[in-house]
Amino acid sequence: MAKHKTPLLDQLESGPWPSFVSDMKQLAEERAKNPQKIEFQIPVDVVDDLLGLLELSYKDGATHWKHGGIVGVFGYGGGVIGRYCDQPEQFSGVAHFHTMRINQPGGKFYTTDYLRKLCDLWDLRGSGVTNMHGSTGDIIFLGTRTEQLEEIFFELTHKYNQDLGGSGSNLRTPADCIGAARCEWACYDTQDLCYQMTNDYQDELHRPAFPYKFKFKFDGCPNCCVASIARSDLSFIGTWRDDIRIDQEAVQGYIGGELKPNAGGHSGRDWGKFDIHKEVIKLCPTECMWMEGKKLMIDNKECNRCMHCINVMPRALHIGNDRGLSILAGAKAPILDGAQMGSLLVPFIKAEAPYEEIKDVIEKVWDWWMEEGKNRERLGELMKRQGLQKLLEVTGITPDARHVKEPRSNPYIFWKEEEVEGGWTRDVNEFRKHHQR
Amino acid sequence: MAKHKTPLLDQLESGPWPSFVSDMKQLAEERAKNPQKIEFQIPVDVVDDLLGLLELSYKDGATHWKHGGIVGVFGYGGGVIGRYCDQPEQFSGVAHFHTMRINQPGGKFYTTDYLRKLCDLWDLRGSGVTNMHGSTGDIIFLGTRTEQLEEIFFELTHKYNQDLGGSGSNLRTPADCIGAARCEWACYDTQDLCYQMTNDYQDELHRPAFPYKFKFKFDGCPNCCVASIARSDLSFIGTWRDDIRIDQEAVQGYIGGELKPNAGGHSGRDWGKFDIHKEVIKLCPTECMWMEGKKLMIDNKECNRCMHCINVMPRALHIGNDRGLSILAGAKAPILDGAQMGSLLVPFIKAEAPYEEIKDVIEKVWDWWMEEGKNRERLGELMKRQGLQKLLEVTGITPDARHVKEPRSNPYIFWKEEEVEGGWTRDVNEFRKHHQR
Amino acid sequence: MAFISSGYDPKEPMKNRITDIGPRKYDEFYPPFIAKNKGKWLYHEYMKPGVFFHVAESGDKVFTVRVGGARLMTTVHIREICEIADKHCGGHVRFTTRNNVEFMVDDEKKVDPLVKDLESRKFAGGSFKFPVGGTGAGITNIVHTQGWIHCHTPATDASGPVKATMDVLFDDFKNSRLPAKLRVSLACCLNMCGAVHCSDIAILGYHRKPPMLDHEYLDKMCEIPLAIAACPTAAIKPAKVEIGGQKVNSVAVNNDRCMFCGNCYTMCPAMPLADKEGDGIVIMAGGKVSNRISAPKFSKVVVAFLPNEAPRWPQTTATIKKIVEAYAKAARKYERLGEWAERIGWERFFEKCELPFTHHLIDDFRDPAYYTWRQTTQFKF
Amino acid sequence: MAFISSGYDPKEPMKNRITDIGPRKYDEFYPPFIAKNKGKWLYHEYMKPGVFFHVAESGDKVFTVRVGGARLMTTVHIREICEIADKHCGGHVRFTTRNNVEFMVDDEKKVDPLVKDLESRKFAGGSFKFPVGGTGAGITNIVHTQGWIHCHTPATDASGPVKATMDVLFDDFKNSRLPAKLRVSLACCLNMCGAVHCSDIAILGYHRKPPMLDHEYLDKMCEIPLAIAACPTAAIKPAKVEIGGQKVNSVAVNNDRCMFCGNCYTMCPAMPLADKEGDGIVIMAGGKVSNRISAPKFSKVVVAFLPNEAPRWPQTTATIKKIVEAYAKAARKYERLGEWAERIGWERFFEKCELPFTHHLIDDFRDPAYYTWRQTTQFKF
Ligand code: SRM
Ligand code: SRM
Ligand code: SRM
Ligand code: SRM
Ligand code: SF4
Ligand code: SF4
Ligand code: SF4
Ligand code: SF4
Ligand code: SF4
Ligand code: SF4
Ligand code: SF4
Ligand code: SF4
């Protein structure tokens, strides 16, 4: 029977959606019973106390966690988030309750064998509570004591060939969409690029040398299934620069009704017979599609690769063959100056191992940011402060109309002296000969 | 024969567009001949020197005018722009060359009798050169000497019942579109409202009490023929809130081709047969129009009164009958913080003499701006600094979704203490009882 | 219990230390049919909500069953996932970017037994362990953050409101009746770890009371200059305060300039903001991430504040339900919530969702606020 | 010549002084048919470019003939306008908001003689005095400012570039072949008295050299603190300078922070910017004012700089002509230039107008610049 009464939390056990309360309760019981006779390295009742503390927060309408303080593993600047409870007497099991960020595998694919190993480790040395996964992408080990941090790290690296993820003013754990592994729209191998960048930049990930956090995310196409454009300082989004491949027979299949629009993703309602004009041609943002008799035509030069038509008719339309990715820079959450989406930095770049070209861009961006960025200034904030022009200059990318949604509407151009005929040094007395005071 | 050689300006005499150079030359000659034996009160060769000075600017690629200095008429803070030439010896005729701003009549209608009187006055006491009209709307008397300012003002007020316009940190000369005088789309009497506001606020117009300039412009409908939305601190733009009146027969007239779309304003090219779907229904920004058989239907509740359909079919569609105007605030040129268009302040207000309701809004805006505005801070800049919320608060206008294009995307709401349950004063030690340090 | 060493020696931390090895390589964990067909997929199709298959050039098919997950999971639950994956999927499983779990099989025949098995499992409290759904034009899992379970700055809980909301939206997790995908996210403070700034509907924890000042300890617990520098509105100034007869260094806060961001608290534990009545939830709407048809959009604040009503946040869930129903009713096929609001105009959005528009929703934060005001006579009565 | 007194007595300025009487009342000047039908107009129609009529409920018609005006006009020219108005229009005439002149008659028969008369009049130099046109889907008069004819801050002339440009665009003043109205404006410095910030095509005078510092006179001619305060980029600092052996108060300018706005010069005549090579023209495009179909738009900078080539600014007029032709060729009926550019995308606008895109066109002025960058993968190769 439970250590603490949790009348409020108990109300979260009903209802269809999986209840984290029920789950935590079953773990609490399991630890109490301890059928496997595990030599728990942190208090056996850690989960009971976690539930008790959370219940208290539900009563008080406020958190009971304090600031972290500097805890971590030797030589790493990140991977651990320190946490202490503000009621240690009442809830000694969670007096320390640090989280560890475990760098997830690409595409978040697992073997059960590996998952079980992680569970064994975490039952022994931690609370047994996790997040699968954290918002950035890591496996989150939620709650252990300081003295276990090194032990866990040692086992991870020695037994499981597994490293920690990022936190602090580091490169954060990169994340990818499932992409080529199971998606027909991947314009490059997101898992491979993500893996290579993670490994090539281990030093940046583990040892804080940056003004603030820095995030990479890898989306295989503009659908952005890992939301890179909204939450990574550098977003790598797949695209192509040749033509959408059309299977005219399949087009007829959709028109005829044999094939379900959007792969059947709208099955919950009768939207009526598929109308290619209404559902595809008219919704194309560039108006670059039309029917020529029974033939669907696309003026690919005008297509901006928004994916809509392909999303609607996956069997008829396929991404082009000349593939690569666009790099966007500066996305971040609102604090402090307001949220930013990534701004287009590289319209198109090939994505082939060993990705030297891409790394060249990354490193030039870092050089600038590390040089100019203030403490706790994200790349996007520096871009706002010094301008996209500046970023293009330092990365040696030729400014192009594609970099802007629209040209500036203010004429306040900061001309450089070398751009102005005759330079800036003038003799006022010479001027005064023609213009009296 | 001309006093100064003007080889560069002479090249501006050819070509079809009316040449200001030819015009000035004819005036220069006229003054030299002086058939009417006018006792010119400023140098007879003022126009020759103006041409000569301008020629010099064309050679030097720079202006030869200096700052104005404080000239004006007694008791007025505006109406005169002082100007001195930086080559007074060479061009003594324009050594002084002040402009006077004469408050134009509504709709810029004139009788020839009145125009001739102005010409007589200006030939006698000034250069005889004018701008018909200045960008704000005034008649501009371009160039006279300091000692003539009071004389001209005296004659204007005594003989012609005519006052000066504005300059400096004053209310500037209000301007209107032709509106009801000759336009079927006027939703209120722009000339009358403009006239009333000009007269009711003469003190604000002539005596600087504002932080900076302030402009009124009056447009009879959203076509904005006096560009109020782009260049007046308060724009008054006519609108209606009932239904567009439809003459179905005339609609058929357009469809049938008897009536010319857009009143024949596209006559220079063969655009093919009029297509009401392509040219009207599909271009309606709110998609609130459709055909029911031969009948054109409008869902007026969804109409945003953009004027397009009315512009295209003036004989078939007429503005509604429940008319008034919208007030927008803050428009200005870019310097310093970037240009602003007017932001919607009052979605709808009736415009009937004596316009008390409208004046109430104007005066509340002024009270706030005069209280809070910094020196040389335009209303729009103050709005940016303190927020539209604040302007609504001080004008007592209920905030409404119509005031925004979209709600804020940042959550940084400045809550007021009285809005928050329990207020802000709290006892930290009370808090510490539940949350240890 | 006895301490068990991993082999790590505190006295010699560097002794055969292994670092910088990164994550496990993705392909170690691919199921065989994924490894084989990677990069050669042709198309996909939904069989029913939560179940879809992909067809490869080779003719191979992979059938995926997606189940909802409370991403706060225990090892007990993970072990059960493993058990299922062993039984049906050859020991392979994956997680999605929105914290759902995907079970994949290579044969259509294996789908029904798998689904039946998944749907049959329930927690003691009665909730599903593995509800199948979350695909297509419906509502999938809520991306969220820590809340009261682990963080020190939250203005609301995360897992609780998420559970309560998903219970209310559950039908749309199991069904694809919506005009398009509708993404719900939650972040427990405005750091927005859940990246709620671009979701169709976002639940955001927000404080409304300026920090309390623990003068007696402030100078001891904090770097005063850092706290001052942390404030985006420069509301904090240094101050000397009299405590028990003696002057101590502390800070003063100009409450009227405070936007309750909590940055000072992040820097200085002696400036707590949390408050039962002050803290609560902001509802945002109309954001999106994909580049489909329209560019990505930020979420907009549509409800300035709702109280923290633990344990089930009824007002929050009811408001969200209202928005979803209004959207389901009025939007066009393929139209995201934000695209719908922009097409009909935000004045109509509030009408159709029966939400009051309050002054709080008018942007007054810095220069760009101007661009959110209405600079045209185009509006609807 | 002898001084003629108006009756004003400098010794007693207040002696029967009249003030605050405002303008003449509009209706004193209405032609009878306007007075009669005011507010009762039904519709209008164009007979040909520059000529249109309005029909009133009463059945009355007013025929308007619009002629272009160099708004810089002499009394000689105005008297000629009066002569024509007496001859044809019962002594009435009006000016438009874009400085054209409108002659109105109440009978269709009076139109042709009026037009013939107007078209027949030419200046000695050969240009038309009263070209008929400027209506409908064409190009009308250029709203402009003072330039070198009267102002102290211009970076280019006004009347000259306007004359040169209207000569090049004259066919479109006489014709309505364009997809929609196309408004051209000019302002000779960035104060933008011509309100060029929202024109289809704008000609803007711009300086490119920081102010010269007339140290010897600066302290005498200016209020140094005002000059410093005037600078939007805080580029100006107080400085002591050595002049002929003695230290004088003056200012120093950080040239790299200067955006050449001339505000310092407006406040302080001892800081002139004007320069033959430095000054020139910026071309902006895509603005509009009306609320028709789309909301009003600002003009965007499309050419960062063109030199001042007096007297006819050939590069400026050629650039404008290129833009007009590209627009005429590609835009849809009723589509304004800015609407066209947004539909096809600005990357295509530069292509079709054969204008180079340079780094200068990327906004880097303050925070809102961010909103002009491209936050989507949607772009055209
Ligand atoms: C664990 C996690 C939330 C979760 O439950 O999943 C998290 C938790 C915290 N985040 Fe975060 N962030 C997490 C993903 C994010 C994301 C989403 C993402 O990475 O895609 C964002 C928005 C994207 C971005 O980076 O802008 C995010 C934006 C922030 C910010 C605001 C940063 C900014 O520049 O806007 C802070 C504030 C800060 O850095 O001091 C922050 C700070 C924090 C801190 C460290 C609180 C603090 O101020 O010290 C939180 C620790 C909570 C705890 O006790 O565990 N967290 N944080 C996520 C990391 C898990 C993982 O590694 O997988
Ligand atoms: C005469 C006129 C231009 C013309 O040739 O038509 C004019 C001329 C001057 N304007 Fe202007 N402005 C004139 C209409 C405008 C307009 C257009 C309008 O009013 O619709 C604007 C843009 C709209 C606006 O107000 O924002 C305009 C925005 C400025 C500004 C920028 C103000 C701002 O806040 O953005 C300045 C700078 C200043 O005030 O110091 C300025 C300053 C000036 C000064 C006084 C130069 C100065 O800095 O002292 C110019 C005197 C020139 C001269 O020697 O005659 N003028 N000025 C226009 C007034 C004639 C009239 O009364 O009818
Ligand atoms: C599994 C997952 C990727 C992963 O690496 O885990 C994924 C997988 C697929 N996405 Fe996605 N998307 C996934 C997160 C996302 C996200 C990210 C997010 O929501 O945080 C987005 C951006 C959402 C947004 O715009 O706010 C996303 C926007 C899309 C879109 C564009 C939808 C739209 O209308 O804008 C498509 C195309 C479509 O659905 O037709 C899409 C299509 C697909 C397809 C059909 C791609 C394919 O051919 O395999 C995949 C299955 C469809 C499905 O889920 O209904 N996927 N997809 C993610 C599943 C999350 C979940 O558990 O529900
Ligand atoms: C005479 C004048 C008003 C005045 O008080 O002087 C006027 C008069 C008319 N305008 Fe205008 N507009 C006048 C300046 C404007 C301006 C202001 C400006 O350009 O500075 C605008 C805003 C331009 C812009 O959006 O940038 C303007 C935007 C319109 C529109 C909307 C056009 C559009 O496609 O956006 C219409 C409707 C139409 O043309 O179908 C319109 C329609 C009209 C009509 C047809 C109204 C009517 O029924 O009488 C008038 C004659 C048509 C014409 O000129 O072709 N008028 N009109 C102005 C003539 C200026 C000139 O000499 O050329
Ligand atoms: S982002 Fe594109 S490639 Fe990646 S999973 Fe989504 S749809 Fe597939
Ligand atoms: S991808 Fe988008 S832009 Fe390209 S053709 Fe398809 S719908 Fe049109
Ligand atoms: S603004 Fe409207 S009412 Fe005024 S003249 Fe133009 S069209 Fe007519
Ligand atoms: S006025 Fe504009 S919005 Fe209204 S019906 Fe006509 S076209 Fe549509
Ligand atoms: S959103 Fe705020 S409260 Fe929630 S986890 Fe992130 S930092 Fe902590
Ligand atoms: S909460 Fe934010 S705004 Fe308020 S005082 Fe702290 S840092 Fe400043
Ligand atoms: S635009 Fe500049 S230069 Fe031209 S008149 Fe106005 S203030 Fe003078
Ligand atoms: S020109 Fe403008 S930016 Fe340059 S110094 Fe003068 S005021 Fe400052």
Side-chain angles (χ1 to χ4, degrees), chain B residues 37 135 157 168-169 183 188 218 225 231 314 335 390-391 393:
Chain B
K37 304 273 165 295
S135 298
T157 49
S169 290
C183 178
Y188 71 98
F218 302 89
C225 295
R231 36 185 208 131
I335 186 120
K390 188 77 193 164
L391 177 56
E393 190 184 309

Side-chain angles (χ1 to χ4, degrees), chain A residues 314-327:
Chain A
R315 295 186 64 164
L317 301 178
H318 304 276
I319 58 172
N321 286 324
D322 182 9
R323 302 169 193 169
L325 55 83
S326 301
I327 304 178

Side-chain angles (χ1 to χ4, degrees), chain A residues 349-366:
Chain A
I349 191 168
K350 280 283 184 185
E352 284 148 6
Y355 311 112
E356 288 309 333
E357 259 191 296
I358 290 172
K359 288 175 68 176
D360 183 57
V361 175
I362 292 171
E363 285 161 26
K364 282 177 170 150
V365 170
W366 280 346

Side-chain angles (χ1 to χ4, degrees), chain B residues 177-179 183 185-186 219-221 223-225:
Chain B
C177 74
I178 189 170
C183 178
W185 296 328
D219 271 312
C221 84
N223 280 333
C224 285
C225 295

Side-chain angles (χ1 to χ4, degrees), chain B residues 166-315:
Chain B
S167 69
S169 290
N170 298 4
L171 173 62
R172 295 305 183 86
T173 308
D176 51 17
C177 74
I178 189 170
R182 200 199 60 197
C183 178
E184 66 269 34
W185 296 328
C187 299
Y188 71 98
D189 187 337
T190 54
Q191 266 122 62
D192 192 60
L193 182 56
C194 183
Y195 182 76
Q196 289 308 331
M197 296 305 105
T198 308
N199 284 45
D200 293 358
Y201 296 118
Q202 281 289 297
D203 194 36
E204 286 73 9
L205 197 151
H206 296 304
R207 295 171 194 84
F210 288 155
Y212 201 7
K213 64 186 69 169
F214 197 96
K215 296 176 179 178
F216 287 156
K217 284 184 171 61
F218 302 89
D219 271 312
C221 84
N223 280 333
C224 285
C225 295
V226 73
S228 64
I229 199 170
R231 36 185 208 131
S232 39
D233 300 85
L234 283 181
S235 329
F236 302 83
I237 305 178
T239 194
W240 64 93
R241 54 183 171 186
D242 55 348
D243 296 356
I244 291 174
R245 291 166 296 145
I246 310 181
D247 172 342
Q248 296 290 357
E249 254 175 55
V251 172
Q252 290 309 313
Y254 284 102
I255 294 173
E258 301 92 58
L259 299 177
K260 291 181 271 168
N262 230 93
H266 292 252
S267 57
R269 193 196 303 195
D270 177 6
W271 289 96
K273 188 174 183 311
F274 175 71
D275 176 341
I276 194 167
H277 285 279
K278 204 157 133 269
E279 299 188 34
V280 180
I281 295 174
K282 283 215 192 97
L283 293 181
C284 168
T286 62
E287 305 176 35
C288 68
M289 312 179 88
W290 70 98
M291 296 298 293
E292 230 163 73
K294 280 178 147 326
K295 252 176 119 213
L296 175 65
M297 310 296 289
I298 298 177
D299 178 354
N300 283 279
K301 186 167 185 303
E302 296 308 308
C303 165
N304 65 21
R305 304 167 312 288
C306 82
M307 295 297 296
H308 173 64
C309 59
I310 300 174
N311 291 339
V312 174
M313 307 195 292
R315 295 186 65 164

Side-chain angles (χ1 to χ4, degrees), chain A residues 17 58-59 123 191 337, chain C residues 30 79 157 163 276 366:
Chain A
W17 189 252
Y58 270 53
K59 223 167 101 273
D123 282 332
Q191 267 122 64
D337 254 346
Chain C
Y30 283 154
R79 291 179 197 276
D157 185 34
K163 159 71 173 157
K276 183 167 191 158
R366 311 234 165 132

Side-chain angles (χ1 to χ4, degrees), chain D residues 145-147 151 153-154 187-189 191-193:
Chain D
T145 50
Q146 298 292 354
C151 199
T153 64
C188 27
C189 88
N191 284 334
M192 294 200 189
C193 298

Side-chain angles (χ1 to χ4, degrees), chain B residues 17 23 58-59 123 191 337, chain D residues 30 74 79 157 163 366:
Chain B
W17 189 252
D23 189 10
Y58 271 53
K59 223 167 102 272
D123 282 332
Q191 266 122 62
D337 255 344
Chain D
Y30 282 155
T74 69
R79 290 178 197 277
D157 186 35
K163 160 70 172 156
R366 310 234 165 134

